[in-house]
Amino acid sequence: MGKVRIVLVALCLWAGSPAGLANEGGGGGEDGGAEYLPLEAVLVNLAGKRHYLRADIQLLVESKEDADKIKVHMPLIRHTLIMLFSNRDPAEIAAVAEREKLRQSALEQITASLEQVGADHGLEDLFFTDFMVQ
């Protein structure tokens, strides 16, 4: 009986997690609500010898329709992020406040890039879901 209870608790916790909500990226679903759109991990070289940044990122969009429009421009989004993150000083992005500035800058630059192709509607926010500097 104890094992069954543990499995049920684990399933409940998993179902409420971002992984459990993932249906191509989020908790949006059929009701047309907000949806998370995961990007492929971004890996770039940082300044100095053998330093790199790996970031997992998810975009918050207003609806599934907006997510579908933005998905078409993933190469543009990845390019924008790679250019923004590359060759930064590892010490510069070690502090949480600096990471927040980088997150805001990434959102602004992606929005600007999507504006150029007419696909900026619906993008609400950007989140780092994993951020590793080595």
Side-chain angles (χ1 to χ4, degrees):
M1 186 68 169
K3 289 182 182 179
V4 172
R5 189 174 293 154
I6 291 171
V7 170
L8 288 175
V9 169
L11 284 173
C12 288
L13 291 173
W14 179 80
S17 72
L21 294 173
N23 61 342
E24 271 207 58
E30 292 79 33
D31 65 353
E35 179 145 334
Y36 287 95
L37 180 60
L39 278 61
E40 186 178 326
V42 176
L43 179 65
V44 297
N45 291 318
L46 296 175
K49 287 189 173 186
R50 297 185 206 152
H51 291 288
Y52 67 89
L53 164 67
R54 181 184 183 276
D56 290 339
I57 298 168
Q58 292 203 21
L59 303 177
L60 177 61
V61 294
E62 290 180 8
S63 68
K64 181 156 179 50
E65 293 79 25
D66 292 325
D68 291 340
K69 290 176 187 174
I70 291 172
K71 280 181 191 178
V72 172
H73 301 288
M74 280 300 171
L76 173 63
I77 292 169
R78 287 186 53 77
H79 169 76
T80 301
L81 292 170
I82 289 168
M83 298 306 287
L84 175 64
F85 296 165
S86 293
N87 290 320
R88 290 198 173 258
D89 182 354
E92 172 188 317
I93 55 178
V96 174
E98 293 303 315
R99 289 183 188 185
E100 178 59 21
K101 287 180 188 176
L102 186 60
R103 186 188 75 80
Q104 289 292 333
S105 182
L107 178 61
E108 291 168 7
Q109 289 196 21
I110 289 173
T111 300
S113 294
L114 290 173
E115 281 177 357
Q116 292 177 349
V117 294
D120 62 311
H121 178 74
L123 178 59
E124 291 185 13
D125 213 338
L126 174 147
F127 300 101
F128 294 130
T129 54
D130 193 17
F131 195 92
M132 183 175 71
V133 177
Q134 191 169 21

